[in-house]
Amino acid sequence: MKQSDEPFLLHWPDSRRRYTYNGSAAIHAALLDRQLERGACVLLPAYCCGAELGPFEQLACEFRFYDIGTDFSISHDEIERILNAQPDIRVMLLTHYLGFAQPEVEAIAALCQARGVTLIEDCAHALFTEQAGRAVGQAGDYAIFSMRKSLPLTEGGALLSKHPLRSESRQPANGLSLLAWVSRLAWSFQQGARASRRVGIRSVARYLSIAGWSIPAVLVKLMRRTGIVPAERWLTPDVEGAAAVPVYGYGISTFSQRLLKTADGKDIRQRRRANHAHWLRLVDQMDGLRPVHRVLPEGACPLYFLVSVANPGEWVKRLAADDIEAFNWWQHLSSRIDWAEFPVARQYKQSLLALPLHQQLDEVDIIRMANSLSARKQ
């Protein structure tokens, strides 16, 4: 594998990189390195999953929000207007949504630098995304990643900094609980077996694999309930809000670091783009499903195939009956946000269905899922 095909963060200087348990922990590490004072004013996207708010809530920050365009873009002019009206803003979070690079990130970074605003690029969805032949995450003061969203890792996030991190920020985080890791690993193998399309003898092996991995999964759950291991050590990488605080000090396992080094970014990007094209061709033949992204910009590495539907939560339940893990994407409406002020973000939270297109799938898998989607639509 060529060095350029590996995740670019592997070649970031150690003095400017820290591995974390998940993406939220990476945001927390950025705020600590920035030495952001309690109660500081911050600017965040209204369209977010909610986990991003946790590190800022821990510092009792004063929140300001901005909306996105219907193409998920963040407008330089809109950010300039907000910063002019709110000169006390100290930190801005910019998200590269679903593997699509923000087209005006360089201009927004220059604007933030001129105003003394620290820019954190949220690249949680964009580990393998490029823009103009350059990996995203290099325009702002910091960039955070959540590698487990793009790769089959049990956990893993990263913080990259434009400048050397303070010594305390570079210190290795605490190790991951072995039992929690085994629990997550068992779940991952079970999910992989469920997604298999094996038939005959191989189908039997599939069910045996699911059953076999159920044994350690059940055992560790029983151990958890006995209280042998502190509850906070069991928090999964997708915990949000106040519940996520205990994981901020934990790091990435050696197992996940090794898997990260084997990733071929170019191949993964090509496979995901091909699967997006397969989905688009098939969904175009169905009524009532509107693809959100019809064109992939060069360098984009899509996280999911998004369609706009009525009642996406019901679609998730229907597809689950066929072992298809779809998502009502980011449906949570935070009470911190006045949603009447952010119509695009609110609309997307209520209408988007995310369908799998990851690199372990191929055209046959997409056809099977599309057939299920069409049948469940009836």
Side-chain angles (χ1 to χ4, degrees):
M1 181 190 304
K2 296 179 182 178
Q3 178 172 314
S4 59
D5 293 340
E6 296 175 342
F8 93 100
L9 60 83
L10 290 176
H11 308 288
W12 204 255
D14 288 343
S15 63
R16 296 190 277 143
R17 180 186 61 205
R18 175 174 173 176
Y19 289 118
T20 60
Y21 187 58
N22 61 11
S24 296
I27 293 176
H28 180 258
L31 300 183
L32 288 183
D33 188 72
R34 166 64 172 73
Q35 295 184 329
L36 187 68
E37 62 276 13
R38 289 186 65 82
C41 188
V42 297
L43 180 61
L44 308 179
Y47 190 62
C48 63
C49 75
E52 305 96 324
L53 305 182
F56 297 97
E57 290 174 334
Q58 192 191 27
L59 288 174
C61 289
E62 184 177 343
F63 289 87
R64 299 288 184 271
F65 294 96
Y66 61 90
D67 208 351
I68 59 172
T70 55
D71 59 354
F72 293 85
S73 65
I74 299 171
S75 165
H76 168 273
D77 291 345
E78 175 65 6
I79 298 303
E80 184 174 31
R81 182 191 67 77
I82 295 173
L83 294 183
N84 285 340
Q86 302 284 339
D88 56 339
I89 290 173
R90 295 290 174 263
V91 171
M92 175 185 169
L93 185 69
L94 176 147
T95 304
H96 297 284
Y97 293 106
L98 297 149
F100 292 77
Q102 285 296 335
E104 295 193 274
V105 61
E106 295 286 351
I108 292 173
L111 173 65
C112 287
Q113 183 178 23
R115 303 300 174 87
V117 175
T118 298
L119 179 63
I120 302 175
E121 289 186 69
D122 184 345
C123 307
H125 301 167
L127 178 62
F128 299 114
T129 295
E130 294 183 348
Q131 187 175 43
R134 183 174 182 239
V136 298
Q138 303 180 66
D141 299 284
Y142 298 99
I144 69 97
F145 293 83
S146 182
M147 296 87 73
R148 67 184 185 84
K149 290 182 172 64
S150 300
L151 295 169
L153 309 184
T154 56
E155 82 301 313
L159 167 68
L160 304 186
S161 173
K162 183 172 289 186
H163 307 288
L165 293 166
R166 294 180 173 85
S167 58
E168 60 272 19
S169 302
R170 295 199 302 269
Q171 292 175 356
N174 298 323
L176 184 68
S177 163
L178 177 60
L179 290 179
W181 177 80
V182 169
S183 176
R184 187 77 180 178
L185 188 67
W187 177 85
S188 297
F189 274 106
Q190 286 178 314
Q191 289 291 91
R194 289 190 183 101
S196 171
R197 61 175 188 273
R198 293 172 178 173
V199 296
I201 286 294
R202 292 186 174 183
S203 180
V204 174
R206 170 195 177 200
Y207 288 108
L208 288 175
S209 176
I210 294 172
W213 282 105
S214 295
I215 296 173
V218 170
L219 287 176
V220 294
K221 284 180 180 178
L222 289 175
M223 295 182 70
R224 175 185 181 183
R225 291 184 179 181
T226 63
I228 294 175
V229 178
E232 64 269 17
R233 300 299 300 277
W234 287 95
L235 290 173
T236 59
D238 51 1
V239 292
E240 300 178 7
V245 173
V247 307
Y248 289 163
Y250 296 125
I252 184 174
S253 65
T254 302
F255 176 79
S256 286
Q257 285 192 62
R258 288 174 178 170
L259 283 180
L260 178 63
K261 293 178 180 178
T262 67
D264 183 338
K266 182 178 180 180
D267 180 65
I268 289 171
R269 188 166 55 249
Q270 289 175 342
R271 288 175 181 269
R272 284 178 173 259
R273 291 175 68 92
N275 286 339
H276 188 280
H278 297 326
W279 265 121
L280 186 61
R281 172 176 55 83
L282 295 166
V283 168
D284 269 347
Q285 303 170 23
M286 305 179 196
D287 295 328
L289 301 174
R290 183 175 62 83
V292 175
H293 296 110
R294 302 197 64 85
V295 178
L296 293 182
E298 185 177 355
C301 183
L303 188 68
Y304 289 102
F305 183 78
L306 286 188
V307 291
S308 178
V309 298
N311 197 1
E314 182 60 32
W315 280 98
V316 171
K317 294 177 184 177
R318 294 178 194 175
L319 294 172
D322 290 334
D323 270 341
I324 298 172
E325 191 177 26
F327 297 93
N328 178 187
W329 191 250
W330 284 1
Q331 76 274 22
H332 174 67
L333 295 173
S334 171
S335 59
R336 285 191 171 276
I337 301 175
D338 181 355
W339 291 100
E341 296 183 10
F342 308 103
V344 177
R346 177 166 186 158
Q347 176 192 350
Y348 279 157
K349 279 183 169 283
Q350 296 175 332
S351 64
L352 294 187
L353 178 69
L355 298 165
L357 54 61
H358 57 78
Q359 60 270 19
Q360 279 124 350
L361 303 174
D362 57 25
E363 185 175 9
V364 174
D365 297 309
I366 304 298
I367 291 173
R368 180 181 74 84
M369 289 189 287
N371 288 339
S372 174
L373 189 67
S374 180
R376 296 287 174 181
K377 189 170 72 70
Q378 305 302 324

